[in-house]
Amino acid sequence: MSPTEHTVKSFEAELQRLSNLIAQMGGVVEAQVEAAVQAVGRRDVEGATKVMQGDTRLDEFERQIEHDAIRMLALRAPVGVDLREVLAALKISADLERTGDYAANIAKRSIALAQLPVMRPAGTIPRMGRLVQEMLKDVLDAYIDRDVEKAVAAWHRDEELDDLYTSLFREVLTYMMEDPRNITPCTHLLFIAKNLERAGDHATNIAETVHFLVKGQPLTAERPKSDKSSFTIIEPVDSEG
Amino acid sequence: MSPTEHTVKSFEAELQRLSNLIAQMGGVVEAQVEAAVQAVGRRDVEGATKVMQGDTRLDEFERQIEHDAIRMLALRAPVGVDLREVLAALKISADLERTGDYAANIAKRSIALAQLPVMRPAGTIPRMGRLVQEMLKDVLDAYIDRDVEKAVAAWHRDEELDDLYTSLFREVLTYMMEDPRNITPCTHLLFIAKNLERAGDHATNIAETVHFLVKGQPLTAERPKSDKSSFTIIEPVDSEG
């Protein structure tokens, strides 16, 4: 084997290792999101605590990926698709780490929720959770297979998630108005839903990164409309004002 | 001038250009945050609309910085502090872009708020806004001067911001319980405050990036405790349950 071949081989091995780390980290994030959403539904304080503790593992993954990627940039000076590979790993690991933070925050809030009465709008949380999990799985598969079509399809599903969030937002507000005792649990529900909506944004970012990685240019289609709830005004039914 | 000198000079010029772009983008983000917070206090729909429109400019900055940084990585293959310079620009522009998104969302919600009664807890929003602006200004100055001490000082202020957020959260919940007509405006206030709290997290990220840029290693101190509101339970005063 010539020295050049050796260098090439081993750069490919390094890229493969980086890719594997992302895939592994992605698997952990998927599991964290699933466990966090389950902890909400099952009022499972123990499960929630595990999710919160599991978050440090994701920080370690991110640090490892950053370390390896920066080392590769410095020592290998990759260009073209190789450069995009390393940059994509950096970006995706940041999005995954952030998604893990949202899972940990959901778990944290589920502990407060478990001490409070069950709220009807909570039924939308598992639906949002499933959608986020599917989006995450699809963008990670798209990354592993370098499959742009799959990435773009997942990217479009963010709109479904935003619609679920917007309808939950309206429902929660109405519910809060019915009884002041609903306000604290409903506020936690709102933020749990918001965390899932943001997790969807990060899956969308990953889809865009996969597009850039494979095609060498940004995804130019209009980004799915996000969070329509910011304009929402709900009035109490029996308002006198 | 020898060709080598020429290359060196021009790489430095490119780095300078990248640094200037970040500084400029940072200035725009500071202005966006300020204008968004003002729009809340003044119930200024026109001002809010301008902030929302101004956000596209930040997306362009981010694209430009990404484009230039990736080109420099590919053509110059920088190492050591030069590599960290380029990576820092990529990271900081992503944090600034996200901060701009939060400013735009605050502006959007201020439009809904302007149609609703004034809420007392809204007084905390300008205080949080000022703190975020100061943190942003400090981390950007720290970036421009490569001043690690200033970056670390700004990094520590995130705790003040989280404390403000947590106390606003409790106040808003109590206020919601007093009158169902407060629920919609208070929900928007909660999310505006949450957006400011997150903007502070991004300023904190920038401080960490400045540390890494100058020192070549991550800031290892314990990250300031974030958002204590996730565990909050507030009961209505006249609860019967």
Side-chain angles (χ1 to χ4, degrees):
Chain A
M1 200 196 285
S2 77
T4 321
E5 252 176 61
H6 179 79
T7 310
V8 170
K9 272 258 165 75
S10 118
F11 180 70
E12 266 173 22
E14 281 178 22
L15 269 188
Q16 193 55 57
R17 187 182 129 81
L18 202 59
S19 227
N20 288 345
L21 274 173
I22 294 281
Q24 243 185 302
M25 182 182 186
V28 176
V29 172
E30 283 183 58
Q32 287 281 94
V33 171
E34 187 176 1
V37 172
Q38 271 186 3
V40 177
R42 297 182 184 166
R43 306 166 79 80
D44 174 2
V45 173
E46 202 181 317
T49 309
K50 254 189 224 157
V51 172
M52 289 167 62
Q53 287 162 348
D55 195 45
T56 52
R57 211 179 142 201
L58 293 176
D59 296 337
E60 280 159 29
F61 265 114
E62 193 193 17
R63 255 197 303 278
Q64 182 68 51
I65 290 164
E66 270 198 357
H67 173 270
D68 290 2
I70 292 174
R71 199 173 160 277
M72 285 166 79
L73 288 175
L75 299 184
R76 303 295 192 158
V79 295
V81 68
D82 291 339
L83 174 58
R84 294 203 304 276
E85 284 280 354
V86 179
L87 293 172
L90 275 174
K91 278 203 156 190
I92 294 175
S93 69
D95 281 309
L96 289 175
E97 190 273 333
R98 202 75 216 201
T99 307
D101 284 347
Y102 290 123
N105 190 262
I106 290 168
K108 205 165 152 187
R109 289 184 188 277
S110 81
I111 294 176
L113 267 183
Q115 303 166 57
L116 294 159
V118 179
M119 292 292 113
R120 184 170 25 90
T124 309
I125 300 293
R127 284 176 64 201
M128 288 186 74
R130 260 194 308 279
L131 187 49
V132 169
Q133 282 170 57
E134 284 165 20
M135 285 173 70
L136 256 178
K137 188 184 177 307
D138 286 352
V139 294
L140 287 166
D141 286 350
Y143 170 70
I144 290 163
D145 301 332
R146 307 297 187 259
D147 182 341
V148 174
E149 263 179 59
K150 187 168 230 172
V152 173
W155 187 83
H156 280 293
R157 298 197 70 189
D158 197 38
E159 205 159 348
E160 278 175 61
L161 186 63
D162 288 330
D163 288 344
L164 277 176
Y165 173 68
T166 304
S167 76
L168 177 133
F169 187 88
R170 301 185 68 91
E171 196 185 349
V172 161
L173 254 55
T174 311
Y175 216 59
M176 282 169 142
M177 288 168 189
E178 282 173 23
D179 186 340
R181 284 168 298 184
N182 294 344
I183 287 175
T184 293
C186 279
T187 301
H188 287 298
L189 274 185
L190 266 190
F191 277 104
I192 287 172
K194 187 71 196 171
N195 283 332
L196 289 170
E197 191 260 338
R198 290 244 193 247
D201 287 344
H202 287 283
T204 308
N205 287 347
I206 294 173
E208 288 175 1
T209 301
V210 171
H211 187 281
F212 171 73
L213 165 59
V214 178
K215 297 277 191 180
Q217 45 199 354
L219 185 54
T220 46
E222 182 80 7
R223 197 176 169 111
K225 274 245 177 299
S226 74
D227 178 6
K228 294 165 205 81
S229 71
S230 304
F231 286 124
T232 302
I233 294 180
I234 311 263
E235 300 286 356
V237 180
D238 54 352
S239 160
E240 295 155 38
Chain B
M1 202 195 284
S2 76
T4 321
E5 253 176 61
H6 179 78
T7 309
V8 171
K9 273 259 163 75
S10 118
F11 180 70
E12 266 173 23
E14 281 178 21
L15 270 188
Q16 193 55 58
R17 187 183 128 83
L18 202 59
S19 226
N20 289 345
L21 274 173
I22 294 281
Q24 244 185 301
M25 183 181 186
V28 176
V29 172
E30 283 183 59
Q32 287 281 95
V33 171
E34 187 177 1
V37 172
Q38 270 185 5
V40 177
R42 298 182 183 165
R43 305 167 80 79
D44 175 1
V45 173
E46 203 181 315
T49 311
K50 254 190 224 156
V51 172
M52 289 166 62
Q53 288 161 350
D55 195 46
T56 52
R57 213 180 138 199
L58 293 176
D59 297 336
E60 280 158 29
F61 265 114
E62 193 193 17
R63 256 196 304 277
Q64 182 68 50
I65 290 164
E66 270 198 357
H67 172 271
D68 290 2
I70 292 174
R71 199 174 160 278
M72 285 166 79
L73 288 175
L75 299 184
R76 303 294 192 158
V79 295
V81 68
D82 290 340
L83 174 58
R84 294 203 303 276
E85 284 280 354
V86 179
L87 293 172
L90 275 174
K91 278 204 154 186
I92 294 175
S93 70
D95 281 309
L96 289 175
E97 192 273 333
R98 202 74 216 206
T99 307
D101 284 348
Y102 290 123
N105 190 263
I106 290 169
K108 207 166 151 185
R109 289 185 188 276
S110 81
I111 294 176
L113 267 184
Q115 304 165 57
L116 295 160
V118 179
M119 292 293 113
R120 184 168 29 87
T124 309
I125 299 294
R127 284 175 64 200
M128 288 186 73
R130 259 194 310 278
L131 186 49
V132 169
Q133 282 168 58
E134 284 165 19
M135 285 173 71
L136 257 178
K137 190 186 175 303
D138 286 351
V139 294
L140 288 166
D141 286 350
Y143 170 70
I144 290 163
D145 301 333
R146 307 297 186 259
D147 182 341
V148 174
E149 263 179 58
K150 188 169 231 170
V152 173
W155 187 83
H156 281 293
R157 298 197 70 189
D158 197 37
E159 205 159 348
E160 277 175 63
L161 186 62
D162 288 331
D163 289 344
L164 277 176
Y165 173 68
T166 305
S167 76
L168 177 133
F169 186 89
R170 299 185 69 91
E171 196 185 349
V172 161
L173 253 55
T174 311
Y175 216 58
M176 282 169 140
M177 289 168 187
E178 282 172 24
D179 185 339
R181 283 168 300 184
N182 294 344
I183 288 175
T184 293
C186 280
T187 301
H188 287 298
L189 275 185
L190 267 190
F191 277 104
I192 286 172
K194 186 74 195 167
N195 284 332
L196 288 171
E197 191 260 337
R198 290 242 191 248
D201 287 344
H202 287 283
T204 307
N205 287 348
I206 294 173
E208 288 176 0
T209 302
V210 171
H211 187 281
F212 171 74
L213 164 59
V214 177
K215 298 275 191 181
Q217 44 200 355
L219 185 54
T220 45
E222 183 79 6
R223 198 177 169 110
K225 273 245 176 300
S226 74
D227 178 3
K228 296 164 203 80
S229 71
S230 305
F231 286 124
T232 302
I233 295 180
I234 311 262
E235 300 286 355
V237 180
D238 53 354
S239 161
E240 295 155 40

